[in-house]
Amino acid sequence: MDVLRVPPGPGAPHGLSVPEAELTEQFSRASGPGGQGVNTTDSRVQLSLDIAATTALDDAQRERVLHRLSDRLTGTVLTIDASEYRSQRRNRAAARDRLAMLLREAVMPTVARRPTKPTRGSQRRRLERKRQRAQTKQNRRRPGNE
């Protein structure tokens, strides 16, 4: 495999390129489907990337990723497991895709919520519904108990 490319998006307008040398892959035996081959092939893939040491991120992106993925990190290392396929090659591709999507989402800046006010029409409709509900309840009372 070669350089891991993260598609462009908010926070990374030109995308990201993680060099192959910064990715660590480990292979082991996976549980699940595979018949007799499951006991002999190392199809499970663990893909790791040290967020603090990678050259693919600038300082602002690095801080954002470390903060957003803090619960998934071991120290500063992000590890992705993939074992859903029988073949090691497909699991390697799945792990790389998952890592790319995680990085893309983590790099996105947070969008501050702009407070809005209810429209005049919605306020009027709300008050009208309240008046109608009050009138309905008032009509349920016994006559003369006012």
Side-chain angles (χ1 to χ4, degrees), residues 1 5-6 15 18 21 52 70 74 77 102 109 111 115 121 126 133 136 143-144:
M1 301 260 169
R5 300 212 184 276
V6 178
V18 181
S70 60
T74 305
V77 177
L102 262 176
V111 178
R126 181 179 140 266
R133 184 76 177 143
T136 300

PDB file of all heavy atoms in Angstrom, residues 1 5-6 15 18 21 52 70 74 77 102 109 111 115 121 126 133 136 143-144:
ATOM      1  N   MET A   1       0.855  -1.172   0.000  1.00  0.00           N
ATOM      2  CA  MET A   1       0.000   0.000   0.000  1.00  0.00           C
ATOM      3  C   MET A   1       0.900   1.234   0.000  1.00  0.00           C
ATOM      4  O   MET A   1       2.079   1.154   0.301  1.00  0.00           O
ATOM      5  CB  MET A   1      -0.896   0.004   1.240  1.00  0.00           C
ATOM      6  CG  MET A   1      -1.796  -1.189   1.370  1.00  0.00           C
ATOM      7  SD  MET A   1      -3.435  -0.778   0.825  1.00  0.00           S
ATOM      8  CE  MET A   1      -4.158  -2.378   0.752  1.00  0.00           C
ATOM      9  N   ARG A   5      -4.557   8.696   1.743  1.00  0.00           N
ATOM     10  CA  ARG A   5      -5.128   9.984   1.351  1.00  0.00           C
ATOM     11  C   ARG A   5      -6.480  10.184   2.030  1.00  0.00           C
ATOM     12  O   ARG A   5      -7.345   9.307   1.977  1.00  0.00           O
ATOM     13  CB  ARG A   5      -5.304  10.043  -0.159  1.00  0.00           C
ATOM     14  CG  ARG A   5      -4.004   9.884  -0.896  1.00  0.00           C
ATOM     15  CD  ARG A   5      -3.971  10.665  -2.187  1.00  0.00           C
ATOM     16  NE  ARG A   5      -2.739  10.417  -2.921  1.00  0.00           N
ATOM     17  CZ  ARG A   5      -1.601  11.051  -2.685  1.00  0.00           C
ATOM     18  NH1 ARG A   5      -1.541  11.943  -1.752  1.00  0.00           N
ATOM     19  NH2 ARG A   5      -0.524  10.782  -3.398  1.00  0.00           N
ATOM     20  N   VAL A   6      -6.624  11.350   2.651  1.00  0.00           N
ATOM     21  CA  VAL A   6      -7.881  11.735   3.283  1.00  0.00           C
ATOM     22  C   VAL A   6      -8.513  12.773   2.367  1.00  0.00           C
ATOM     23  O   VAL A   6      -7.871  13.768   2.022  1.00  0.00           O
ATOM     24  CB  VAL A   6      -7.637  12.323   4.687  1.00  0.00           C
ATOM     25  CG1 VAL A   6      -8.939  12.760   5.321  1.00  0.00           C
ATOM     26  CG2 VAL A   6      -6.930  11.301   5.567  1.00  0.00           C
ATOM     27  N   GLY A  15      -7.275  18.258   1.588  1.00  0.00           N
ATOM     28  CA  GLY A  15      -7.158  16.869   2.005  1.00  0.00           C
ATOM     29  C   GLY A  15      -5.888  16.671   2.816  1.00  0.00           C
ATOM     30  O   GLY A  15      -5.143  17.611   3.088  1.00  0.00           O
ATOM     31  N   VAL A  18      -1.131  11.019   4.588  1.00  0.00           N
ATOM     32  CA  VAL A  18      -0.352  10.414   5.668  1.00  0.00           C
ATOM     33  C   VAL A  18       0.680   9.499   5.022  1.00  0.00           C
ATOM     34  O   VAL A  18       0.310   8.532   4.346  1.00  0.00           O
ATOM     35  CB  VAL A  18      -1.260   9.616   6.635  1.00  0.00           C
ATOM     36  CG1 VAL A  18      -0.436   9.007   7.755  1.00  0.00           C
ATOM     37  CG2 VAL A  18      -2.367  10.495   7.183  1.00  0.00           C
ATOM     38  N   ALA A  21       5.293   5.544   5.967  1.00  0.00           N
ATOM     39  CA  ALA A  21       6.234   5.287   7.056  1.00  0.00           C
ATOM     40  C   ALA A  21       5.632   5.584   8.433  1.00  0.00           C
ATOM     41  O   ALA A  21       6.088   5.040   9.437  1.00  0.00           O
ATOM     42  CB  ALA A  21       7.501   6.116   6.859  1.00  0.00           C
ATOM     43  N   ALA A  52       0.432  12.578  17.457  1.00  0.00           N
ATOM     44  CA  ALA A  52       1.348  13.640  17.894  1.00  0.00           C
ATOM     45  C   ALA A  52       2.578  13.733  16.994  1.00  0.00           C
ATOM     46  O   ALA A  52       3.177  14.804  16.875  1.00  0.00           O
ATOM     47  CB  ALA A  52       1.779  13.406  19.338  1.00  0.00           C
ATOM     48  N   SER A  70      -9.842  11.711  21.840  1.00  0.00           N
ATOM     49  CA  SER A  70      -9.125  11.391  23.071  1.00  0.00           C
ATOM     50  C   SER A  70      -9.582  10.065  23.701  1.00  0.00           C
ATOM     51  O   SER A  70      -8.772   9.341  24.273  1.00  0.00           O
ATOM     52  CB  SER A  70      -9.278  12.517  24.089  1.00  0.00           C
ATOM     53  OG  SER A  70     -10.642  12.706  24.410  1.00  0.00           O
ATOM     54  N   THR A  74      -4.591   5.695  22.661  1.00  0.00           N
ATOM     55  CA  THR A  74      -3.749   5.117  23.694  1.00  0.00           C
ATOM     56  C   THR A  74      -2.498   5.987  23.700  1.00  0.00           C
ATOM     57  O   THR A  74      -1.652   5.857  22.825  1.00  0.00           O
ATOM     58  CB  THR A  74      -3.385   3.660  23.368  1.00  0.00           C
ATOM     59  OG1 THR A  74      -4.592   2.929  23.155  1.00  0.00           O
ATOM     60  CG2 THR A  74      -2.580   3.032  24.475  1.00  0.00           C
ATOM     61  N   VAL A  77      -1.577   7.501  20.224  1.00  0.00           N
ATOM     62  CA  VAL A  77      -1.655   6.557  19.104  1.00  0.00           C
ATOM     63  C   VAL A  77      -3.107   6.132  18.880  1.00  0.00           C
ATOM     64  O   VAL A  77      -3.790   5.684  19.793  1.00  0.00           O
ATOM     65  CB  VAL A  77      -0.778   5.311  19.371  1.00  0.00           C
ATOM     66  CG1 VAL A  77      -0.916   4.308  18.242  1.00  0.00           C
ATOM     67  CG2 VAL A  77       0.669   5.722  19.549  1.00  0.00           C
ATOM     68  N   LEU A 102     -12.205   8.732   9.927  1.00  0.00           N
ATOM     69  CA  LEU A 102     -12.060   9.237  11.291  1.00  0.00           C
ATOM     70  C   LEU A 102     -11.269  10.536  11.313  1.00  0.00           C
ATOM     71  O   LEU A 102     -11.644  11.503  11.987  1.00  0.00           O
ATOM     72  CB  LEU A 102     -11.329   8.204  12.162  1.00  0.00           C
ATOM     73  CG  LEU A 102     -12.182   7.302  13.024  1.00  0.00           C
ATOM     74  CD1 LEU A 102     -11.320   6.286  13.734  1.00  0.00           C
ATOM     75  CD2 LEU A 102     -12.981   8.088  14.018  1.00  0.00           C
ATOM     76  N   PRO A 109     -13.632  21.721  11.816  1.00  0.00           N
ATOM     77  CA  PRO A 109     -13.832  22.654  12.923  1.00  0.00           C
ATOM     78  C   PRO A 109     -15.289  22.628  13.389  1.00  0.00           C
ATOM     79  O   PRO A 109     -16.191  22.326  12.606  1.00  0.00           O
ATOM     80  CB  PRO A 109     -13.480  24.014  12.320  1.00  0.00           C
ATOM     81  CG  PRO A 109     -13.639  23.831  10.853  1.00  0.00           C
ATOM     82  CD  PRO A 109     -13.388  22.386  10.557  1.00  0.00           C
ATOM     83  N   VAL A 111     -18.770  24.130  14.302  1.00  0.00           N
ATOM     84  CA  VAL A 111     -19.527  25.276  13.827  1.00  0.00           C
ATOM     85  C   VAL A 111     -20.325  25.816  15.003  1.00  0.00           C
ATOM     86  O   VAL A 111     -21.121  25.090  15.610  1.00  0.00           O
ATOM     87  CB  VAL A 111     -20.473  24.876  12.670  1.00  0.00           C
ATOM     88  CG1 VAL A 111     -21.295  26.055  12.205  1.00  0.00           C
ATOM     89  CG2 VAL A 111     -19.675  24.292  11.530  1.00  0.00           C
ATOM     90  N   PRO A 115     -27.650  31.668  17.585  1.00  0.00           N
ATOM     91  CA  PRO A 115     -28.961  31.696  18.236  1.00  0.00           C
ATOM     92  C   PRO A 115     -29.987  32.389  17.351  1.00  0.00           C
ATOM     93  O   PRO A 115     -29.689  33.398  16.705  1.00  0.00           O
ATOM     94  CB  PRO A 115     -28.726  32.478  19.521  1.00  0.00           C
ATOM     95  CG  PRO A 115     -27.431  33.164  19.370  1.00  0.00           C
ATOM     96  CD  PRO A 115     -26.655  32.452  18.303  1.00  0.00           C
ATOM     97  N   GLY A 121     -44.785  35.221  13.344  1.00  0.00           N
ATOM     98  CA  GLY A 121     -45.918  34.361  13.008  1.00  0.00           C
ATOM     99  C   GLY A 121     -45.985  33.132  13.905  1.00  0.00           C
ATOM    100  O   GLY A 121     -47.065  32.727  14.339  1.00  0.00           O
ATOM    101  N   ARG A 126     -48.559  30.197  18.335  1.00  0.00           N
ATOM    102  CA  ARG A 126     -48.432  29.534  19.632  1.00  0.00           C
ATOM    103  C   ARG A 126     -49.419  30.126  20.643  1.00  0.00           C
ATOM    104  O   ARG A 126     -50.121  29.395  21.352  1.00  0.00           O
ATOM    105  CB  ARG A 126     -46.998  29.688  20.150  1.00  0.00           C
ATOM    106  CG  ARG A 126     -46.772  29.011  21.463  1.00  0.00           C
ATOM    107  CD  ARG A 126     -45.315  29.171  21.914  1.00  0.00           C
ATOM    108  NE  ARG A 126     -45.279  29.423  23.330  1.00  0.00           N
ATOM    109  CZ  ARG A 126     -45.241  30.615  23.910  1.00  0.00           C
ATOM    110  NH1 ARG A 126     -45.225  31.707  23.178  1.00  0.00           N
ATOM    111  NH2 ARG A 126     -45.230  30.726  25.202  1.00  0.00           N
ATOM    112  N   ARG A 133     -56.846  26.299  23.589  1.00  0.00           N
ATOM    113  CA  ARG A 133     -56.791  25.230  24.591  1.00  0.00           C
ATOM    114  C   ARG A 133     -57.442  25.696  25.898  1.00  0.00           C
ATOM    115  O   ARG A 133     -58.192  24.954  26.534  1.00  0.00           O
ATOM    116  CB  ARG A 133     -55.334  24.834  24.820  1.00  0.00           C
ATOM    117  CG  ARG A 133     -55.152  23.680  25.744  1.00  0.00           C
ATOM    118  CD  ARG A 133     -55.488  22.386  25.049  1.00  0.00           C
ATOM    119  NE  ARG A 133     -55.243  21.280  25.950  1.00  0.00           N
ATOM    120  CZ  ARG A 133     -55.987  20.207  26.000  1.00  0.00           C
ATOM    121  NH1 ARG A 133     -57.001  20.053  25.177  1.00  0.00           N
ATOM    122  NH2 ARG A 133     -55.719  19.248  26.841  1.00  0.00           N
ATOM    123  N   THR A 136     -61.162  25.656  25.417  1.00  0.00           N
ATOM    124  CA  THR A 136     -61.678  24.284  25.455  1.00  0.00           C
ATOM    125  C   THR A 136     -61.819  23.819  26.905  1.00  0.00           C
ATOM    126  O   THR A 136     -62.841  23.242  27.287  1.00  0.00           O
ATOM    127  CB  THR A 136     -60.712  23.345  24.702  1.00  0.00           C
ATOM    128  OG1 THR A 136     -60.617  23.776  23.356  1.00  0.00           O
ATOM    129  CG2 THR A 136     -61.190  21.905  24.753  1.00  0.00           C
ATOM    130  N   PRO A 143     -71.343  24.915  34.544  1.00  0.00           N
ATOM    131  CA  PRO A 143     -71.829  26.300  34.470  1.00  0.00           C
ATOM    132  C   PRO A 143     -72.012  26.876  35.875  1.00  0.00           C
ATOM    133  O   PRO A 143     -72.429  26.198  36.800  1.00  0.00           O
ATOM    134  CB  PRO A 143     -73.164  26.218  33.755  1.00  0.00           C
ATOM    135  CG  PRO A 143     -73.264  24.831  33.226  1.00  0.00           C
ATOM    136  CD  PRO A 143     -72.270  23.983  33.943  1.00  0.00           C
ATOM    137  N   GLY A 144     -71.653  28.142  36.032  1.00  0.00           N
ATOM    138  CA  GLY A 144     -71.877  28.835  37.307  1.00  0.00           C
ATOM    139  C   GLY A 144     -70.686  28.725  38.261  1.00  0.00           C
ATOM    140  O   GLY A 144     -70.752  29.275  39.359  1.00  0.00           O
TER     141      GLY A 144
END
